[in-house]
Amino acid sequence: MNGKGSHKANELEPFEPVWWAWNTHVHTIVASQFTKVQKPAHERIEIDTPDEDFLEIDVCNFPTDKPIVALFHGLEGSSDRHYIANLMSELKRAGFPSVALNFRGCGSRLNDQPRFYHSGATDDYRTLFNWIRRQFPVKEIYAVGYSLGANALVKYLGEEGSESVVKRAVAVSPPYDLKEGSLRMQQGINKFYEKRFLITLADKLEMKRELYPGMPIYSGSSIYEFDDQVTAALHGFSGADDYYFKCSSRHFYGEVKSDLLVIHSREDTLCPIEFAPQKTIRENPVIQTLFTEEGGHVGFLSSPSGWLYRMILNWFEADQK
């Protein structure tokens, strides 16, 4: 653990996995598929984007003086995923209101424009943050991103630097090098995850083709090929390599000026920690890392349960003391 920043590492609870979670895939799959979802009462709102599209957000608001927390899900997730919904509940219990973003095409219906979302789509983050500032002008803003959502959150923090509206943030299981992560997806058990992602990505593409016949053709069998043929074409990149290079979070940690906690398992096979810019992160005084020896991708089956949520809440509550 890295002990820099205003919140000391020795205040963070060590991760103790449950005895039966014998490898990283158990943590990842069991957490993803079998966690009970308990989402608090909330309001689903659509907000306009500058390009005549919309974003669906879930708002859990109540009278409190505490900051509001923006939440960002991972690849092909939504605000209904267990890690978002349950964190909203934990935040509410701790007195923090929250706003969870559904990336374009990940909510209740497809978005209106040909584009979807991607790992570096910080324009939609700015749209959400601007909405929050208008609706809650006196509140500070915190943020939590998971996986792809964490990558874009770090990118936003780096792009904005000292101008960021986010005071304190958490990145859970972020990809550091999008290309390397994409290539790793083609190996071993990771192919199982890749196939699941590709099914929904390809389905959405064909649904969108009914509205926009000129949508790119996907003829591959990997995330890399989907990003090369579709994601890059839809979002102004020359190809997958260009997209990955410009959007990988490893390029942005050095410019982060908001207090940031990075939580990651050293066993994560989907977003390998070996590609983290360790020196850059270590030398940035506002970044603290919590790198566990065990655990999965966005999955930390702990004893007692709820370790990940406790770490996020501890990080936020430390700023309230």
Side-chain angles (χ1 to χ4, degrees), residues 10-294:
N10 59 15
E11 296 175 25
L12 295 175
E13 171 191 341
F15 174 62
E16 296 291 342
V18 293
W19 64 268
W20 47 265
W22 63 87
N23 69 24
T24 184
H25 298 293
V26 174
H27 283 279
T28 302
I29 295 171
V30 171
S32 175
Q33 301 299 315
F34 300 103
T35 298
K36 184 178 180 181
V37 177
Q38 296 179 312
K39 195 171 185 179
H42 61 279
E43 181 181 7
R44 171 65 60 89
I45 297 174
E46 287 189 4
I47 62 176
D48 296 330
T49 64
D51 61 340
E52 299 184 344
D53 207 344
F54 67 91
L55 298 172
E56 291 181 275
I57 61 175
D58 289 349
V59 182
C60 178
N61 185 35
F62 47 88
T64 176
D65 293 330
K66 289 190 174 181
I68 190 164
V69 185
L71 306 177
F72 303 97
H73 62 78
L75 179 64
E76 286 304 274
S78 74
S79 63
D80 291 329
R81 292 292 288 140
H82 69 93
Y83 53 84
I84 296 289
N86 291 347
L87 179 56
M88 292 179 77
S89 292
E90 295 295 331
L91 288 166
K92 183 178 182 180
R93 275 192 281 271
F96 291 92
S98 58
V99 178
L101 173 67
N102 289 280
F103 297 144
R104 301 194 194 206
C106 292
S108 64
R109 60 190 179 93
L110 281 178
N111 61 305
D112 292 335
Q113 293 293 336
R115 63 166 289 186
F116 285 110
Y117 67 98
H118 62 82
S119 297
T122 50
D123 55 338
D124 285 346
Y125 281 46
R126 291 183 180 88
T127 296
L128 176 65
F129 291 138
N130 288 338
W131 181 88
I132 293 174
R133 294 192 76 177
R134 289 195 301 271
Q135 297 297 315
F136 307 97
V138 300
K139 282 192 177 297
E140 293 180 331
I141 300 174
Y142 292 171
V144 182
Y146 294 85
S147 192
L148 178 149
N151 184 94
L153 177 58
V154 173
K155 180 173 178 282
Y156 165 82
L157 295 175
E159 289 171 343
E160 294 295 317
S162 59
E163 299 301 314
S164 168
V165 301
V166 176
K167 183 181 181 186
R168 203 163 178 86
V170 182
V172 181
S173 303
Y176 303 98
D177 188 308
L178 293 171
K179 181 176 181 178
E180 294 292 348
S182 178
L183 295 177
R184 285 289 179 91
M185 195 88 74
Q186 302 172 30
Q187 301 176 11
I189 296 178
N190 287 349
K191 292 180 180 179
F192 164 79
Y193 307 114
E194 181 175 56
K195 183 175 181 180
R196 289 178 61 88
F197 289 138
L198 284 171
I199 288 172
T200 55
L201 286 168
D203 284 348
K204 287 179 182 178
L205 177 63
E206 294 313 308
M207 291 171 63
K208 188 65 72 75
R209 195 182 308 284
E210 296 179 7
L211 299 174
Y212 295 97
M215 292 290 285
I217 300 295
Y218 170 57
S219 60
S221 59
S222 68
I223 292 291
Y224 180 91
E225 290 169 315
F226 186 90
D227 285 338
D228 196 49
Q229 298 170 9
V230 180
T231 306
L234 286 176
H235 300 101
F237 302 102
S238 62
D241 288 353
D242 182 45
Y243 158 49
Y244 292 151
F245 180 80
K246 290 178 178 175
C247 295
S248 290
S249 70
R250 66 185 178 90
H251 300 302
F252 298 94
Y253 287 92
E255 303 304 318
V256 171
K257 303 300 181 184
S258 305
D259 289 340
L260 173 65
L261 174 65
V262 183
I263 303 176
H264 207 132
S265 165
R266 297 184 187 278
E267 292 188 333
D268 188 339
T269 62
L270 291 179
C271 294
I273 203 169
E274 67 192 83
F275 302 117
Q278 299 277 7
K279 185 174 184 293
T280 301
I281 290 175
R282 190 167 54 247
E283 293 178 349
N284 189 329
V286 303
I287 301 178
Q288 180 170 319
T289 58
L290 183 49
F291 293 163
T292 64
E293 297 303 319
E294 299 179 70

